[in-house]
Amino acid sequence: MNSGGSKGWLLQRISGALLFLMLGTHFYLYHYFMGPADWGFQSIGYGATDLEALKALALADPSRSTYYALAGLFANPVWKAFDIILITLGTYHGFYGIHSIIDDWMTHNTRRNLSNWLVYIIGFVLWVIGIVSVISFNPQLV
Amino acid sequence: MYKVREGYFSWILHKITGVSIVLFLLFHIWGMSRMSKGPEAFDAVIAAYKTPLFRAGEVLLLGAILFHAINGVRLILGEFTVWAMEKNKLLAWLAYALVGVLFLVGAYFMWRAEG
Ligand code: HEM
């Protein structure tokens, strides 16, 4: 197995272990801090200078509170960087994994190479879309 | 290397869950790209996520991620430490138990949370 050689094999383990830690943090942030714990994220969104303004906006319009919570989180470049790294590791690990499966199961050379290229291209495009979404996130606060 | 795996079941399920999570990632990043375009777009995506179909999908996703993550750590441990390689069978059953318990608890809270 693993036509990518031992370096690809090792990177799959390293990215898997990092994803384990980072996904835990990701779920905690997006499903707990931004949900039930409401404004608990304030303590980690220290990069934002306008947290009080965000909080006032959220109180004025509770239906938008998740949006303002995200704006507060992303006001801190550390959390933007965290998401960029997470997207990078996730797309790398996931699409390298698909590539391994293709190499294991597809015996026909041309078909296998074509499938691998297709997988790489889809993975790369997805990575770009993800990175652009995070970087360009611009809370339009009135 | 195949020896480290607790049977065919874990091996095939690791692949099925891995591919499923990649499919979700496609969907998730597409959602992110829409959500990043201002509050109205954000609300529209969140509203879709709160429909029963999406919520059921999220529960399935929880199961897939729990299995893949916990089984993945077991695989890594078994490949890098002699201790985990020797205790592989026990660790595999511990992993199944952990996945099962976390899934039931997680699914309960996810389903109970108001849409
Ligand atoms: C949560 C932490 C994760 C850990 C610990 C982990 C661990 C692993 C490991 C060790 C492998 C290699 C298995 C083998 O060679 O047999 C693997 C394969 C794979 N992973 Fe992950 N992974 C994680 C998250 C993810 C995520 C988020 C995705 C999807 C984006 C993903 C998709 C895949 C795929 C498609 C494979 C190839 C299936 C296979 O060859 O068995 N994994 N993972």
Side-chain angles (χ1 to χ4, degrees), chain A residues 1 12-13 16-17 19-20 23 90 93-94 97-98 101, chain B residues 5 14-15 18-19 21-22 25 68-69 72-73 75-76:
Chain A
M1 65 173 289
Q12 192 68 350
R13 269 84 195 143
L19 277 169
F20 189 84
L23 275 180
H93 178 97
I98 304 248
I101 295 176
Chain B
R5 302 195 170 98
H14 199 79
K15 287 179 201 298
V19 174
I21 303 167
V22 171
L25 194 63
H68 191 94
V73 167
L75 288 176
I76 296 173

mmCIF file of all heavy atoms in Angstrom, chain A residues 1 12-13 16-17 19-20 23 90 93-94 97-98 101, chain B residues 5 14-15 18-19 21-22 25 68-69 72-73 75-76, ligand 1:
data_model
loop_
_atom_site.group_PDB
_atom_site.id
_atom_site.type_symbol
_atom_site.label_atom_id
_atom_site.label_comp_id
_atom_site.label_asym_id
_atom_site.label_seq_id
_atom_site.Cartn_x
_atom_site.Cartn_y
_atom_site.Cartn_z
ATOM 1 N N MET A 1 0.833 -1.213 0.000
ATOM 2 C CA MET A 1 0.000 0.000 0.000
ATOM 3 C C MET A 1 0.862 1.254 0.000
ATOM 4 O O MET A 1 2.071 1.199 -0.092
ATOM 5 C CB MET A 1 -0.909 -0.012 1.242
ATOM 6 C CG MET A 1 -0.162 0.067 2.555
ATOM 7 S SD MET A 1 -1.271 0.255 3.944
ATOM 8 C CE MET A 1 -1.860 1.900 3.732
ATOM 9 N N GLN A 12 0.531 11.289 7.123
ATOM 10 C CA GLN A 12 -0.861 10.943 7.366
ATOM 11 C C GLN A 12 -1.092 10.735 8.867
ATOM 12 O O GLN A 12 -2.130 11.112 9.402
ATOM 13 C CB GLN A 12 -1.250 9.695 6.556
ATOM 14 C CG GLN A 12 -2.726 9.397 6.509
ATOM 15 C CD GLN A 12 -3.524 10.436 5.711
ATOM 16 O OE1 GLN A 12 -3.015 11.481 5.346
ATOM 17 N NE2 GLN A 12 -4.774 10.149 5.458
ATOM 18 N N ARG A 13 -0.107 10.138 9.538
ATOM 19 C CA ARG A 13 -0.209 9.939 11.003
ATOM 20 C C ARG A 13 -0.088 11.263 11.746
ATOM 21 O O ARG A 13 -0.809 11.519 12.706
ATOM 22 C CB ARG A 13 0.887 8.983 11.489
ATOM 23 C CG ARG A 13 0.472 7.542 11.491
ATOM 24 C CD ARG A 13 0.642 6.912 10.133
ATOM 25 N NE ARG A 13 -0.055 5.644 10.021
ATOM 26 C CZ ARG A 13 -0.660 5.259 8.906
ATOM 27 N NH1 ARG A 13 -0.667 6.024 7.847
ATOM 28 N NH2 ARG A 13 -1.259 4.097 8.856
ATOM 29 N N GLY A 16 -3.143 13.323 11.187
ATOM 30 C CA GLY A 16 -4.251 12.709 11.929
ATOM 31 C C GLY A 16 -4.198 13.089 13.404
ATOM 32 O O GLY A 16 -5.208 13.484 13.988
ATOM 33 N N ALA A 17 -2.995 12.990 13.994
ATOM 34 C CA ALA A 17 -2.855 13.318 15.415
ATOM 35 C C ALA A 17 -3.153 14.799 15.662
ATOM 36 O O ALA A 17 -3.843 15.158 16.623
ATOM 37 C CB ALA A 17 -1.453 12.962 15.897
ATOM 38 N N LEU A 19 -5.042 16.721 13.801
ATOM 39 C CA LEU A 19 -6.481 16.931 13.594
ATOM 40 C C LEU A 19 -7.263 16.529 14.833
ATOM 41 O O LEU A 19 -8.251 17.168 15.190
ATOM 42 C CB LEU A 19 -6.974 16.129 12.384
ATOM 43 C CG LEU A 19 -6.777 16.770 11.019
ATOM 44 C CD1 LEU A 19 -7.054 15.767 9.906
ATOM 45 C CD2 LEU A 19 -7.686 17.985 10.861
ATOM 46 N N PHE A 20 -6.819 15.468 15.483
ATOM 47 C CA PHE A 20 -7.496 15.007 16.692
ATOM 48 C C PHE A 20 -7.552 16.143 17.717
ATOM 49 O O PHE A 20 -8.613 16.446 18.272
ATOM 50 C CB PHE A 20 -6.756 13.796 17.273
ATOM 51 C CG PHE A 20 -7.489 13.125 18.390
ATOM 52 C CD1 PHE A 20 -8.465 12.182 18.114
ATOM 53 C CD2 PHE A 20 -7.212 13.428 19.713
ATOM 54 C CE1 PHE A 20 -9.157 11.547 19.141
ATOM 55 C CE2 PHE A 20 -7.894 12.808 20.746
ATOM 56 C CZ PHE A 20 -8.868 11.861 20.458
ATOM 57 N N LEU A 23 -9.498 19.383 16.092
ATOM 58 C CA LEU A 23 -10.946 19.219 15.931
ATOM 59 C C LEU A 23 -11.651 19.316 17.274
ATOM 60 O O LEU A 23 -12.748 19.852 17.371
ATOM 61 C CB LEU A 23 -11.273 17.879 15.259
ATOM 62 C CG LEU A 23 -11.227 17.855 13.733
ATOM 63 C CD1 LEU A 23 -11.570 16.462 13.224
ATOM 64 C CD2 LEU A 23 -12.179 18.872 13.144
ATOM 65 N N GLY A 90 -6.976 19.384 7.281
ATOM 66 C CA GLY A 90 -8.151 18.575 6.947
ATOM 67 C C GLY A 90 -8.186 18.208 5.470
ATOM 68 O O GLY A 90 -8.405 17.045 5.120
ATOM 69 N N HIS A 93 -5.058 15.796 4.726
ATOM 70 C CA HIS A 93 -5.258 14.449 5.269
ATOM 71 C C HIS A 93 -6.387 13.713 4.537
ATOM 72 O O HIS A 93 -6.244 12.548 4.160
ATOM 73 C CB HIS A 93 -5.550 14.566 6.763
ATOM 74 C CG HIS A 93 -5.814 13.267 7.464
ATOM 75 N ND1 HIS A 93 -4.840 12.586 8.153
ATOM 76 C CD2 HIS A 93 -6.946 12.532 7.596
ATOM 77 C CE1 HIS A 93 -5.366 11.486 8.667
ATOM 78 N NE2 HIS A 93 -6.645 11.419 8.352
ATOM 79 N N GLY A 94 -7.493 14.397 4.332
ATOM 80 C CA GLY A 94 -8.652 13.773 3.697
ATOM 81 C C GLY A 94 -8.372 13.372 2.259
ATOM 82 O O GLY A 94 -8.653 12.240 1.844
ATOM 83 N N GLY A 97 -5.815 10.694 1.935
ATOM 84 C CA GLY A 97 -6.458 9.424 2.273
ATOM 85 C C GLY A 97 -7.209 8.834 1.083
ATOM 86 O O GLY A 97 -7.120 7.640 0.803
ATOM 87 N N ILE A 98 -7.943 9.693 0.364
ATOM 88 C CA ILE A 98 -8.672 9.219 -0.823
ATOM 89 C C ILE A 98 -7.669 8.710 -1.863
ATOM 90 O O ILE A 98 -7.882 7.674 -2.502
ATOM 91 C CB ILE A 98 -9.531 10.357 -1.414
ATOM 92 C CG1 ILE A 98 -10.472 10.899 -0.357
ATOM 93 C CG2 ILE A 98 -10.259 9.874 -2.674
ATOM 94 C CD1 ILE A 98 -11.912 10.652 -0.546
ATOM 95 N N ILE A 101 -6.580 5.260 -1.002
ATOM 96 C CA ILE A 101 -7.605 4.264 -1.319
ATOM 97 C C ILE A 101 -7.598 3.972 -2.819
ATOM 98 O O ILE A 101 -7.646 2.811 -3.245
ATOM 99 C CB ILE A 101 -9.006 4.749 -0.858
ATOM 100 C CG1 ILE A 101 -9.029 4.870 0.671
ATOM 101 C CG2 ILE A 101 -10.091 3.786 -1.322
ATOM 102 C CD1 ILE A 101 -10.333 5.426 1.220
ATOM 103 N N ARG B 5 -4.239 -4.110 12.916
ATOM 104 C CA ARG B 5 -5.662 -3.793 12.913
ATOM 105 C C ARG B 5 -6.494 -4.897 13.550
ATOM 106 O O ARG B 5 -6.269 -6.063 13.327
ATOM 107 C CB ARG B 5 -6.130 -3.568 11.489
ATOM 108 C CG ARG B 5 -5.336 -2.463 10.882
ATOM 109 C CD ARG B 5 -5.978 -1.959 9.629
ATOM 110 N NE ARG B 5 -5.267 -0.749 9.241
ATOM 111 C CZ ARG B 5 -4.309 -0.744 8.322
ATOM 112 N NH1 ARG B 5 -3.980 -1.836 7.695
ATOM 113 N NH2 ARG B 5 -3.695 0.377 8.033
ATOM 114 N N HIS B 14 -12.898 2.359 8.901
ATOM 115 C CA HIS B 14 -12.018 3.533 8.910
ATOM 116 C C HIS B 14 -12.053 4.223 7.548
ATOM 117 O O HIS B 14 -12.063 5.447 7.456
ATOM 118 C CB HIS B 14 -10.584 3.137 9.266
ATOM 119 C CG HIS B 14 -9.763 4.311 9.719
ATOM 120 N ND1 HIS B 14 -9.850 4.837 10.981
ATOM 121 C CD2 HIS B 14 -8.865 5.082 9.056
ATOM 122 C CE1 HIS B 14 -9.040 5.875 11.086
ATOM 123 N NE2 HIS B 14 -8.428 6.054 9.924
ATOM 124 N N LYS B 15 -12.101 3.407 6.491
ATOM 125 C CA LYS B 15 -12.162 3.988 5.140
ATOM 126 C C LYS B 15 -13.514 4.624 4.861
ATOM 127 O O LYS B 15 -13.601 5.731 4.317
ATOM 128 C CB LYS B 15 -11.860 2.912 4.094
ATOM 129 C CG LYS B 15 -10.394 2.546 4.078
ATOM 130 C CD LYS B 15 -10.099 1.470 3.068
ATOM 131 C CE LYS B 15 -8.794 0.775 3.409
ATOM 132 N NZ LYS B 15 -7.632 1.668 3.368
ATOM 133 N N GLY B 18 -13.737 7.795 6.799
ATOM 134 C CA GLY B 18 -12.812 8.792 6.228
ATOM 135 C C GLY B 18 -13.392 9.444 4.987
ATOM 136 O O GLY B 18 -13.426 10.674 4.872
ATOM 137 N N VAL B 19 -13.906 8.620 4.078
ATOM 138 C CA VAL B 19 -14.485 9.167 2.843
ATOM 139 C C VAL B 19 -15.736 9.992 3.156
ATOM 140 O O VAL B 19 -15.952 11.068 2.586
ATOM 141 C CB VAL B 19 -14.792 8.037 1.836
ATOM 142 C CG1 VAL B 19 -15.529 8.583 0.624
ATOM 143 C CG2 VAL B 19 -13.503 7.352 1.401
ATOM 144 N N ILE B 21 -16.340 11.706 5.818
ATOM 145 C CA ILE B 21 -15.962 12.996 6.396
ATOM 146 C C ILE B 21 -15.425 13.930 5.302
ATOM 147 O O ILE B 21 -15.669 15.131 5.329
ATOM 148 C CB ILE B 21 -14.939 12.828 7.549
ATOM 149 C CG1 ILE B 21 -15.507 11.917 8.641
ATOM 150 C CG2 ILE B 21 -14.612 14.171 8.175
ATOM 151 C CD1 ILE B 21 -14.470 11.449 9.649
ATOM 152 N N VAL B 22 -14.737 13.380 4.307
ATOM 153 C CA VAL B 22 -14.275 14.211 3.187
ATOM 154 C C VAL B 22 -15.482 14.790 2.440
ATOM 155 O O VAL B 22 -15.508 15.975 2.095
ATOM 156 C CB VAL B 22 -13.376 13.423 2.212
ATOM 157 C CG1 VAL B 22 -13.089 14.246 0.963
ATOM 158 C CG2 VAL B 22 -12.074 13.039 2.881
ATOM 159 N N LEU B 25 -16.737 17.514 4.375
ATOM 160 C CA LEU B 25 -15.834 18.665 4.300
ATOM 161 C C LEU B 25 -16.108 19.494 3.039
ATOM 162 O O LEU B 25 -16.098 20.728 3.087
ATOM 163 C CB LEU B 25 -14.378 18.191 4.316
ATOM 164 C CG LEU B 25 -13.313 19.257 4.583
ATOM 165 C CD1 LEU B 25 -13.493 19.856 5.963
ATOM 166 C CD2 LEU B 25 -11.911 18.662 4.452
ATOM 167 N N HIS B 68 -13.725 7.445 13.457
ATOM 168 C CA HIS B 68 -12.490 7.676 12.711
ATOM 169 C C HIS B 68 -11.391 8.257 13.608
ATOM 170 O O HIS B 68 -10.231 7.844 13.537
ATOM 171 C CB HIS B 68 -12.762 8.600 11.527
ATOM 172 C CG HIS B 68 -11.635 8.685 10.557
ATOM 173 N ND1 HIS B 68 -11.556 7.885 9.437
ATOM 174 C CD2 HIS B 68 -10.516 9.448 10.539
ATOM 175 C CE1 HIS B 68 -10.451 8.166 8.779
ATOM 176 N NE2 HIS B 68 -9.789 9.121 9.418
ATOM 177 N N ALA B 69 -11.772 9.209 14.468
ATOM 178 C CA ALA B 69 -10.781 9.864 15.328
ATOM 179 C C ALA B 69 -10.216 8.876 16.357
ATOM 180 O O ALA B 69 -9.000 8.753 16.517
ATOM 181 C CB ALA B 69 -11.406 11.067 16.025
ATOM 182 N N GLY B 72 -8.463 6.028 14.735
ATOM 183 C CA GLY B 72 -7.222 6.554 14.153
ATOM 184 C C GLY B 72 -6.121 6.669 15.191
ATOM 185 O O GLY B 72 -4.971 6.291 14.941
ATOM 186 N N VAL B 73 -6.472 7.147 16.371
ATOM 187 C CA VAL B 73 -5.477 7.259 17.442
ATOM 188 C C VAL B 73 -4.990 5.862 17.844
ATOM 189 O O VAL B 73 -3.798 5.640 18.065
ATOM 190 C CB VAL B 73 -6.047 8.021 18.653
ATOM 191 C CG1 VAL B 73 -5.158 7.873 19.870
ATOM 192 C CG2 VAL B 73 -6.233 9.499 18.313
ATOM 193 N N LEU B 75 -4.836 3.243 15.899
ATOM 194 C CA LEU B 75 -3.931 2.776 14.837
ATOM 195 C C LEU B 75 -2.542 3.382 15.004
ATOM 196 O O LEU B 75 -1.529 2.686 14.924
ATOM 197 C CB LEU B 75 -4.472 3.181 13.450
ATOM 198 C CG LEU B 75 -5.696 2.457 12.911
ATOM 199 C CD1 LEU B 75 -6.123 3.064 11.581
ATOM 200 C CD2 LEU B 75 -5.382 0.982 12.727
ATOM 201 N N ILE B 76 -2.512 4.700 15.255
ATOM 202 C CA ILE B 76 -1.226 5.394 15.374
ATOM 203 C C ILE B 76 -0.450 4.833 16.568
ATOM 204 O O ILE B 76 0.731 4.500 16.464
ATOM 205 C CB ILE B 76 -1.436 6.920 15.515
ATOM 206 C CG1 ILE B 76 -2.072 7.478 14.232
ATOM 207 C CG2 ILE B 76 -0.111 7.619 15.794
ATOM 208 C CD1 ILE B 76 -2.486 8.937 14.323
HETATM 209 C C1 HEM C 1 -9.851 13.289 14.121
HETATM 210 C C2 HEM C 1 -8.630 12.962 13.926
HETATM 211 C C3 HEM C 1 -8.186 11.981 12.860
HETATM 212 C C4 HEM C 1 -7.327 10.958 13.073
HETATM 213 C C5 HEM C 1 -6.670 10.561 14.387
HETATM 214 C C6 HEM C 1 -7.143 10.294 11.794
HETATM 215 C C7 HEM C 1 -6.287 9.217 11.595
HETATM 216 C C8 HEM C 1 -6.107 8.567 10.395
HETATM 217 C C9 HEM C 1 -5.129 7.532 10.139
HETATM 218 C C10 HEM C 1 -4.128 6.996 11.147
HETATM 219 C C11 HEM C 1 -5.277 7.144 8.847
HETATM 220 C C12 HEM C 1 -4.486 6.063 8.104
HETATM 221 C C13 HEM C 1 -5.213 4.762 8.121
HETATM 222 C C14 HEM C 1 -4.515 3.684 7.350
HETATM 223 O O1 HEM C 1 -3.448 3.918 6.770
HETATM 224 O O2 HEM C 1 -5.057 2.593 7.321
HETATM 225 C C15 HEM C 1 -6.363 7.911 8.285
HETATM 226 C C16 HEM C 1 -6.849 7.754 7.017
HETATM 227 C C17 HEM C 1 -7.825 8.553 6.452
HETATM 228 N N1 HEM C 1 -8.418 9.678 7.019
HETATM 229 FE FE1 HEM C 1 -8.172 10.275 8.914
HETATM 230 N N2 HEM C 1 -7.917 10.912 10.845
HETATM 231 C C18 HEM C 1 -8.569 11.963 11.446
HETATM 232 C C19 HEM C 1 -9.420 12.873 10.835
HETATM 233 C C20 HEM C 1 -9.826 12.815 9.508
HETATM 234 C C21 HEM C 1 -10.661 13.806 8.835
HETATM 235 C C22 HEM C 1 -11.194 15.081 9.482
HETATM 236 C C23 HEM C 1 -10.840 13.333 7.560
HETATM 237 C C24 HEM C 1 -11.616 13.970 6.432
HETATM 238 C C25 HEM C 1 -11.430 15.182 6.038
HETATM 239 C C26 HEM C 1 -10.136 12.088 7.421
HETATM 240 C C27 HEM C 1 -10.096 11.324 6.274
HETATM 241 C C28 HEM C 1 -9.323 10.191 6.101
HETATM 242 C C29 HEM C 1 -9.320 9.361 4.920
HETATM 243 C C30 HEM C 1 -10.176 9.555 3.659
HETATM 244 C C31 HEM C 1 -8.384 8.336 5.147
HETATM 245 C C32 HEM C 1 -8.008 7.180 4.186
HETATM 246 C C33 HEM C 1 -8.710 5.919 4.624
HETATM 247 C C34 HEM C 1 -7.759 4.780 4.838
HETATM 248 O O3 HEM C 1 -6.753 4.673 4.141
HETATM 249 O O4 HEM C 1 -8.040 3.973 5.744
HETATM 250 N N3 HEM C 1 -9.526 11.795 8.621
HETATM 251 N N4 HEM C 1 -6.857 8.797 9.255
#
